[in-house]
C-alpha cells in the first residue's frame, strides 16, 4: 500500500500497513524476542510469565483492533484500558523506554514503509507514557 494513497489511523489503513494479522504476529514475535534478548528489557521481561504464549496472543489481538483491524482482543478477552490494566506493575520511565526500545527494534525489522514506522512508534509512545502515569511505581 502506498502511503500517498492512505492515511494512517483511518479505517483499517494502519492494520493493512502492518501486514494484517500475519504481519502483526511477526511484529509481536520480534518484539518478545527483543525483550528476551536486550539487557535493558530484563526488568520488563520479568513482569511477564515464563511462558509468553498468552502474552503474545493478547498483544497481537490488541494491536489488531488498535490498528483498525478485527477487534480480536475484545472478542476473546473483553474490553481493556491499557494504562489501568498495567497499574499494578511498577513501570517507570526506564521500563517504558525499554518497552519502546524492544518495539522500535521489532518495527525496524518489518518491511513497513519508513513513514509508517515513524507513525507507529509515535502512536505506541502514547499508551507507554500513560502506563507510567498510572503505574504503581
Amino acid at each position: 500500500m502506498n502511503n500517498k494513497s492512505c492515511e494512517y489511523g483511518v479505517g483499517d489503513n494502519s492494520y493493512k500497513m502492518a501486514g494484517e494479522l500475519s504481519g502483526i504476529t511477526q511484529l509481536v514475535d520480534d518484539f518478545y524476542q527483543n525483550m528476551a534478548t536486550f539487557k535493558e528489557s530484563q526488568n520488563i521481561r520479568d513482569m511477564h510469565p515464563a511462558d509468553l504464549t498468552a502474552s503474545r496472543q493478547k498483544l497481537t489481538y490488541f494491536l489488531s483492533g488498535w490498528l483498525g483491524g478485527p477487534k480480536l482482543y475484545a472478542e476473546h478477552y473483553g474490553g481493556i484500558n491499557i494504562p489501568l490494566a498495567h497499574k499494578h506493575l511498577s513501570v517507570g520511565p526506564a521500563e517504558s523506554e525499554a518497552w519502546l526500545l524492544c518495539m522500535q527494534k521489532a518495527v525496524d525489522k518489518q518491511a513497513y514503509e519508513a513513514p509508517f514506522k515513524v507513525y507507529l512508534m509515535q502512536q505506541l509512545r502514547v499508551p507507554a507514557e500513560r502506563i507510567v502515569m498510572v503505574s504503581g511505581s
Side-chain angles (χ1 to χ4, degrees), residues 92-104:
E95 290 78 15
S96 180
E97 289 302 318
W99 189 94
L100 288 165
L101 171 68
C102 292
M103 189 56 80
Q104 179 69 66

Side-chain angles (χ1 to χ4, degrees), residues 27 66-67 107 112 116-124:
L27 173 67
W66 189 71
L67 291 170
V107 167
Y112 305 158
F116 181 67
K117 290 180 180 187
V118 171
Y119 168 82
L120 184 56
M121 289 309 300
Q122 289 171 337
Q123 297 306 304
L124 288 167

